[in-house]
């Protein structure tokens, strides 16, 4: 007999802080202003409807200038720069004026909280749109002894887009997530498999690390496939046969520290292994040509950062990037 828990599952909740952190400042300000405008319109409409006046309700609502002035006054009250003057014997006006005053007192605090959340919600990394899949010989390392030259490698690229943010001790780890049928009861189970990456020597390692991350310089996480890839989607990766798997995704996670802030910076990117999603492409990525004499944003190749080399270009010796 199954035991039932006191509280039902699944239990879930939404974190306002992380919801705010996931939106841009412009979007948040636009949403806040829109909410205040809607509230001001509501207050003006109810105020007009409940006011003591010899005019009919229709005449009061046809007075567009009066409604606009009342709406603007309510908006100023909602942001805390003005106050409404309710009729003393009108309970509705007293409630509306109190609502506007409370909103005006809380609005600055809410906006300040949004600014603080966005200030410390750092996502400095810009990812290349797709992960490229190319032969192992196209990597920026010699093919390891015993490895087949026709085996493929996955390349995931990113860069730090902030001019005034120094990032150090960057670490990249990769894992494969997929669903398969449980041999016990036939239910679908989520499995995760940590994948090996190539370290600075081109050898297999659990993670790839960099001591410092130069502003704008592209960095690459190389993931050996251990199989020849001639078409997508990938059928096998590092010994794992994906033919019986569903909803397979590749996740690359970055963790680092921001100099000056003393806080950890983390980001991750999911790549769907289903060819229909377009998260992978065959071919080596177009390299950037590093030039220490020029600003990093002026390096040749940025316009093709999301492109791949042609077949003729792929036969050329690879250009070693800044990473």
């Amino acid at each position: 007999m199954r035991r039932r828990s006191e509280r039902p599952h699944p239990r879930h909740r939404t974190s306002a802080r992380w919801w705010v952190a996931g939106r841009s400042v412009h979007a948040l300000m636009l949403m806040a202003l829109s909410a205040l405008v809607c509230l001001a319109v509501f207050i003006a409409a109810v105020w007009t409807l409940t006011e003591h006046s010899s005019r009919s309700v229709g005449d009061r609502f046809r007075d567009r200038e009066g409604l606009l002035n009342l709406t603007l006054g309510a908006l100023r009250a909602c942001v805390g720069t003005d106050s409404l003057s309710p009729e003393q014997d009108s309970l509705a006006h007293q409630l509306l004026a109190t609502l506007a005053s409370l909103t005006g007192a809380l609005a600055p605090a809410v906006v300040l909280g949004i600014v603080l959340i966005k200030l410390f919600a750092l996502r400095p990394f810009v990812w290349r749109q797709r992960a490229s899949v190319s032969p192992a010989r196209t990597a920026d390392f010699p093919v390891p002894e015993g490895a087949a030259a026709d085996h493929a490698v996955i390349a995931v690229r990113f860069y730090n887009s902030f001019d005034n943010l120094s990032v150090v001790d960057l670490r990249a780890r990769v894992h494969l997530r997929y669903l398969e049928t449980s041999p016990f009861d036939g239910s679908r189970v989520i499995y995760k498999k940590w994948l090996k990456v190539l370290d600075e020597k081109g050898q297999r390692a659990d993670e790839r690390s960099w001591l410092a991350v130069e502003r704008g310089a592209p960095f690459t996480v190389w993931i050996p496939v251990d199989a020849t890839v001639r078409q997508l989607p990938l059928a096998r990766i590092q010994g794992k046969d994906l033919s019986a798997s569903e909803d397979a995704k590749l996740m690359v996670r970055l963790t680092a520290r921001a100099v000056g802030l003393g806080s950890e910076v983390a980001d991750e990117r999911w790549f769907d292994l289903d060819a229909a999603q377009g998260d992978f492409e065959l071919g080596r990525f177009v390299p950037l040509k590093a030039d220490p004499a020029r600003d990093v944003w002026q390096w040749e190749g940025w316009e093709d950062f999301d492109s791949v080399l042609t077949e003729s270009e792929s036969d050329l010796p690879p250009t070693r990037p800044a990473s």
Side-chain angles (χ1 to χ4, degrees):
M1 181 178 179
R2 296 184 181 180
R3 296 176 54 189
R4 294 189 178 275
S5 59
E6 296 180 359
R7 295 180 59 188
H9 290 279
R11 304 168 191 165
H12 60 88
R13 57 179 297 183
T14 300
S15 171
R17 181 175 183 270
W18 295 117
W19 185 89
V20 169
R23 271 68 183 174
S24 67
V25 174
H26 298 88
L28 291 170
M29 291 303 177
L30 181 60
M31 286 187 286
L33 180 59
S34 300
L36 290 174
V37 169
C38 291
L39 179 59
V41 171
F42 169 77
I43 290 175
V46 178
W47 191 285
T48 301
L49 185 65
T50 58
E51 69 178 350
H52 296 151
S53 175
S54 58
R55 297 183 302 167
S56 65
V57 175
D59 290 338
R60 281 177 270 171
F61 278 100
R62 279 191 290 269
D63 184 5
R64 296 183 178 179
E65 184 177 353
L67 275 175
L68 178 59
N69 291 335
L70 182 58
T71 301
L72 293 177
L75 181 59
R76 291 193 297 272
C78 288
V79 297
T81 61
D82 201 351
S83 60
L84 296 175
S85 301
E87 297 177 352
Q88 296 298 323
D89 56 347
S90 174
L91 178 61
H93 280 199
Q94 295 289 343
L95 291 175
L96 291 173
T98 302
L99 175 62
S101 298
L102 289 174
T103 304
L106 294 175
V110 172
V111 172
L112 178 61
I114 290 174
V115 172
L116 290 176
I117 289 175
K118 292 302 297 181
L119 180 63
F120 294 103
L122 295 175
R123 298 197 67 179
F125 302 111
V126 176
W127 299 80
R128 189 176 181 274
Q129 291 183 3
R130 297 181 180 87
S132 61
V133 182
S134 58
R137 62 178 176 79
T138 64
D140 292 313
F141 310 100
V143 178
E145 184 178 356
D150 61 343
H151 280 182
V153 288
I154 300 172
V156 176
R157 308 201 83 200
F158 59 92
Y159 61 91
N160 173 20
S161 62
F162 281 91
D163 285 334
N164 57 346
L165 179 66
S166 178
V167 179
V168 297
D169 296 333
L170 175 65
R171 300 176 184 275
R173 300 195 72 178
V174 182
H175 85 238
L176 176 69
R177 192 214 71 175
Y178 53 94
L179 277 68
E180 288 187 354
T181 302
S182 169
F184 173 66
D185 57 5
S187 62
R188 299 179 72 196
V189 181
I190 297 177
Y191 293 91
K192 294 182 176 68
K193 171 183 173 66
W194 285 107
L195 299 181
K196 297 291 185 179
V197 299
L198 299 183
D199 62 12
E200 68 278 1
K201 297 180 181 179
Q203 302 298 319
R204 292 171 178 268
D206 292 331
E207 65 180 23
R208 177 72 163 96
S209 61
W210 294 269
L211 181 63
V213 180
E214 293 82 359
R215 174 183 66 94
F219 289 78
T220 307
V221 180
W222 295 98
I223 308 163
V225 178
D226 292 342
T228 303
V229 178
R230 293 187 174 86
Q231 63 181 8
L232 298 176
L234 296 174
R236 177 182 292 273
I237 179 170
Q238 294 191 14
K240 172 57 186 175
D241 185 2
L242 299 173
S243 59
S245 304
E246 300 179 39
D247 197 27
K249 296 180 185 295
L250 191 74
M251 190 273 284
V252 180
R253 176 175 294 150
L254 306 176
T255 56
R257 298 198 66 81
V259 176
L261 296 178
S263 59
E264 185 177 85
V265 178
D267 200 359
E268 63 183 31
R269 177 70 184 272
W270 291 82
F271 296 90
D272 198 323
L273 288 167
D274 184 358
Q277 301 297 325
D279 288 345
F280 289 83
E281 60 185 349
L282 293 176
R284 192 186 195 275
F285 57 82
V286 176
L288 267 71
K289 297 183 179 180
D291 186 354
R294 304 172 64 187
D295 184 80
V296 64
W297 304 122
Q298 297 178 350
W299 289 358
E300 183 181 347
W302 278 117
E303 64 276 8
D304 296 318
F305 184 72
D306 287 308
S307 304
V308 293
L309 297 174
T310 62
E311 292 185 6
S312 59
E313 292 173 323
S314 298
D315 293 333
L316 298 175
T319 301
R320 189 174 183 84
S323 58

